[in-house]
């Protein structure tokens, strides 16, 4: 079972997303803030990270940059999630190393497609 | 025979007056004045003429008085007539016709001196007449031509004396007749009076001109002040408009974000419940949940539409150009729209030539506008036909692809057509209630078409149906073909201009800016502006955190708010500047507190008071960075 780390500060969205991913058969771990996300990427070693971009203190872009900068976590695929839906957000997300990008509200089939595509690409350990 | 030099000095400041003076002064009938082909003669010419006529007459009369009881020849009488009557007219004629009338008039004055010299010698250097004539000519020359010119005049005067003196053997007549004495006295009196009178007039003119000049100067200054104030207020209001517009963009971006976040939960949870309900086979709940879903999706459509609008209006909507087969996009759009069309019992007909070929455009937007038109037609047509015609035309103004969607639906009145492309206005409120829709579709469709270099036309008849025709260029010109580059069109002009994404900073990897501000809106805005300018941004909402991040990340620049809960900006700035490791990082204060001096004293590199002109801020950042590199 693949493990997905969700970094999301909004409680409702975190809960909803985690439950829906659990139903789809993923093992889900949760982080609320950017720092926590970076730490858990290291400690939990997830197969994929769903990163909300607008996080307080350390935002999603910065958190992703740090995750991609550490050798231990650099290979974990990151999908950026944003409610802003502005092209700028996506450009910036791709620049800091996000592997894919999706906008909120989340369309589950679309997001699952992106997750599966990235997991397939990753060599299984 | 004088004209104060001052007149020529005031001439420019008082141009109309001097011109009028020249025009008003008739040359006297005898000379047969004809209008000069050159510009108005110098005012000196007219003034001298008025003095020369009586003065030369007196010289001639003195000559007559002197020679009346002596033997005379015809030559003498001719000389007298020439001096008294002919010369003043001749002098005027010469000067007023000359290309350089002032120069000619000065030459005339030299000739005057010569004439006076001759007559002084001819009348035997009698004391009174000589005194009168020479002092008058010297005074006149001094007044008009200055000292140097007067020296020439004296030379001319002496030449006359010598020439005639040589003829008469320097015959000196010490005593004068009563008549000559009288004439000399009258001449002196007349000359002094005229001289004095003209001096008076000139002085008055100068004073008046100066007063007028002062008035004009004051008026000009007043006008300048008014203009400056108007300019300032225009700049102020321009600033205010820009700030308001910026605030609007930020507001819309935030609103979109704030609305999407709860909507995400609504749509997500209702979908989960729907999965559960259909697993249980509870169809009633499923249908209710479907209603929540569709309402949520409608709301999302509205938010997206509004966001698209604000992006278009802010000039942020981008075109992603690619070459694609027209038939492919048609097929995709038709497949998506077919269920919608057929739901209302309509037939969908597509007429597209198989060899329509490729086009170079923003494929997503072409598909979107086509879908908008098809779903629009489907919505307003019941049990009729929706037809899509596609064709290509080669015209003088380029190669165009036409997409025409016609329906046999309810149609529109001309009045409704006129409001058709305005956002949030459907044909009327009742239509909106009956047929639903956001009222944004057609307005966006039109904006997209314009962006892509095309246009949209509508024909409609109430009760008979409508036809929308989109015309798009087959290929957008001047595109360099780079798949990664992006064409940006601002809607203000149809011309497409290249914008190479974020403006890169010169040299090296992106520079890091640490933004410290407790206001999330400001943080967001700063993040956008900075990253657009090519910076990488670290943002934090607290002073303590900012200090820590500065030490950890050693950014290239720091922007710092002052008024923050906990550790305020002053404390952060002091701590930063005290710390050797980070003390050299330039800090720019961005705050509402207007305490520039304090900020600079504490070591800030620059100081901006909110609301900030981001362009100025960005140029300050790049300047500071350059300075530092240098």
């Amino acid at each position: 079972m693949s493990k997905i780390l969700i970094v999301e500060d909004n409680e409702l969205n975190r809960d909803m997303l985690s439950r829906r991913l659990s139903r789809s058969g993923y093992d889900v771990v949760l982080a609320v803030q950017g720092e926590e996300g970076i730490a858990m990427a290291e400690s939990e070693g997830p197969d994929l990270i769903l990163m909300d971009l607008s996080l307080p203190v350390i935002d999603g872009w910065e958190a992703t940059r740090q995750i991609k900068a550490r050798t231990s976590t650099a290979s974990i695929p990151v999908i950026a999630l944003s409610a802003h839906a502005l092209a700028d957000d996506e450009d910036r997300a791709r620049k800091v190393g996000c592997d894919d990008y999706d906008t909120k509200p989340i369309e589950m089939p679309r997001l699952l497609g992106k997750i599966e595509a990235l997991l397939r690409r990753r060599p299984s350990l | 025979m004088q004209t104060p030099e001052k007149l020529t000095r005031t001439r420019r400041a008082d141009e109309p007056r001097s011109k009028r003076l020249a025009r008003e002064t008739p040359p006297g009938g005898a000379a047969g004045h004809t209008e000069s082909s050159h510009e108005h003669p110098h005012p000196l010419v007219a003034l001298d003429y008025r003095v020369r006529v009586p003065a030369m007459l007196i010289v001639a009369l003195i000559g007559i008085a002197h020679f009346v009881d002596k033997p005379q020849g015809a030559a003498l009488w001719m000389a007298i007539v020439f001096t008294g009557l002919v010369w003043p007219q001749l002098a005027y004629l010469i000067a007023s016709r000359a290309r350089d009338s002032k120069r000619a008039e000065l030459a005339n004055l030299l000739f005057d001196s010569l004439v006076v010299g001759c007559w002084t010698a001819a009348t035997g250097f009698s004391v009174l007449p000589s005194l009168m004539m020479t002092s008058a000519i010297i005074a006149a020359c001094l007044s008009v031509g200055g000292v140097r010119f007067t020296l020439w005049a004296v030379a001319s005067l002496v030449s006359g004396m010598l020439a005639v003196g040589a003829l008469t053997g320097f015959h000196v007549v010490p005593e004068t007749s009563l008549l000559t004495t009288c004439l000399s006295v009258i001449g002196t009196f007349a000359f002094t009076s005229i001289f004095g009178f003209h001096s008076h007039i000139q002085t008055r003119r100068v004073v008046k001109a100066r007063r007028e000049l002062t008035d004009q100067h004051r008026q000009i200054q007043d006008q300048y002040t008014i203009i400056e104030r108007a300019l300032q207020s225009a700049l102020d209001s321009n600033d205010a408009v820009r700030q308001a517009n910026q605030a609007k963009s930020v507001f819309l971006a935030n609103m979109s974000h704030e609305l999407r976040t709860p909507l995400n939960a609504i749509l997500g949870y209702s979908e989960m419940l729907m999965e559960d309900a259909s697993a249980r086979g509870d169809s009633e709940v499923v249908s209710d949940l479907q209603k929540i879903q569709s309402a949520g999706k409608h709301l999302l459509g509205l938010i997206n539409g509004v966001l698209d609008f604000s992006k278009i209006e802010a000039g942020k909507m981008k075109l992603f150009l690619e070459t694609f087969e027209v038939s492919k996009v048609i097929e995709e759009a038709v497949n998506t729209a077919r269920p919608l069309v057929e739901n209302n019992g309509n037939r969908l007909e597509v007429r597209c030539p198989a060899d329509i070929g490729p086009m170079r455009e923003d494929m997503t937007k072409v598909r979107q506008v086509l879908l908008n038109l098809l779903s629009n037609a489907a919505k307003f047509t019941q049990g009729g036909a929706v037809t899509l015609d596609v064709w290509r035309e080669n015209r003088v103004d380029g190669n165009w692809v036409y997409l025409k969607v016609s329906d046999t639906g309810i149609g529109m009145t001309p009045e409704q057509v006129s409001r058709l492309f305005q956002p949030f206005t459907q044909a009327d409120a009742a239509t909106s209630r009956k047929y639903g829709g956001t009222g944004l579709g057609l307005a966006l469709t039109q904006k997209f078409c314009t962006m892509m270099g095309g246009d949209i036309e509508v024909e409609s008849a109430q009760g008979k149906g409508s036809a929308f025709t989109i015309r798009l260029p087959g290929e957008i010109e001047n595109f360099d073909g780079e798949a990664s580059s992006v064409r940006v069109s601002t809607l203000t002009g149809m011309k497409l201009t290249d914008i190479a994404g974020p403006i890169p900073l010169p040299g090296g990897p992106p520079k890091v800016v640490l933004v410290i501000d407790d206001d999330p809106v400001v943080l967001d805005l700063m993040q956008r502006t900075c990253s657009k300018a090519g910076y990488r941004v670290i943002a934090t909402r607290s002073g303590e955190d900012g200090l820590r991040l500065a030490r950890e990340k050693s950014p290239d620049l720091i922007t710092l708010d002052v008024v923050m809960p906990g550790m305020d900006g002053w404390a952060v700035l002091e701590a930063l500047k005290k710390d050797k490791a980070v003390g050299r990082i330039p800090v720019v204060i961005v705050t509402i507190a207007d305490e520039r001096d304090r900020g600079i004293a504490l070591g800030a590199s620059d100081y901006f008071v909110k609301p900030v002109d981001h362009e100025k801020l960005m140029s300050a950042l790049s300047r500071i960075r350059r300075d530092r590199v240098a």
Side-chain angles (χ1 to χ4, degrees), chain A residues 90-108:
Chain A
E90 181 169 358
D91 291 349
R92 287 175 55 207
R94 302 250 183 217
K95 260 181 209 142
V96 296
C98 290
D99 300 82
D100 210 336
Y101 175 89
D102 208 349
T103 55
K104 293 191 227 171
I106 283 155
E107 261 185 52
M108 221 41 204

Side-chain angles (χ1 to χ4, degrees), chain A residues 15 57 59 65 83 104, chain B residues 260 269 271 276 527 536 539:
Chain A
D15 174 65
V57 192
D59 64 28
R65 200 188 59 77
K104 293 191 227 171
Chain B
R260 277 159 178 274
Y269 282 112
E271 235 172 83
D276 294 347
Q527 260 179 354
R536 207 160 60 66

Side-chain angles (χ1 to χ4, degrees), chain A residues 10 12-13 15-16 19-20 23 54 57 59 61-62 65-66 83-86 88-89 91-92 95 104-106 108, chain B residues 253 256-257 260-261 264-265 267-269 271-272 275-276 300 307 311 318 502 527-528 531-532 536 538-539 545 553:
Chain A
N10 183 290
L12 277 179
N13 283 334
D15 174 65
M16 189 263 294
R19 279 167 59 190
R20 300 193 77 183
R23 284 179 180 209
S54 32
V57 192
D59 64 28
W61 291 282
E62 175 56 21
R65 200 188 59 77
Q66 292 191 27
H84 273 301
L86 291 171
D88 281 7
D89 285 11
D91 291 349
R92 287 175 55 207
K95 260 181 209 142
K104 293 191 227 171
I106 283 155
M108 221 41 204
Chain B
S256 150
H257 177 258
R260 277 159 178 274
T261 305
N264 190 29
L267 287 173
Y269 282 112
E271 235 172 83
M272 278 167 71
E275 285 163 17
D276 294 347
L300 183 62
L307 194 66
K311 275 198 279 191
K318 292 172 180 178
Q527 260 179 354
R528 278 160 203 282
S531 36
K532 206 177 273 173
R536 207 160 60 66
I538 309 171
D545 215 41
K553 311 280 172 196

Side-chain angles (χ1 to χ4, degrees), chain B residues 547-569:
Chain B
L547 206 54
R548 183 181 59 74
L549 283 168
R551 287 177 183 136
E552 275 174 20
K553 311 280 172 196
S554 51
D556 299 277
L557 283 165
I558 298 172
T559 77
L560 178 61
D561 184 21
V562 170
V563 188
M564 290 187 289
M567 195 174 183
D568 75 2

Side-chain angles (χ1 to χ4, degrees), chain B residues 233-250:
Chain B
S233 83
L235 284 175
D236 287 351
S237 62
N238 191 20
D239 253 19
V241 167
R242 217 194 32 229
Q243 277 166 17
N245 211 27
Q246 207 171 45
K248 189 186 84 174
S249 300
V250 175

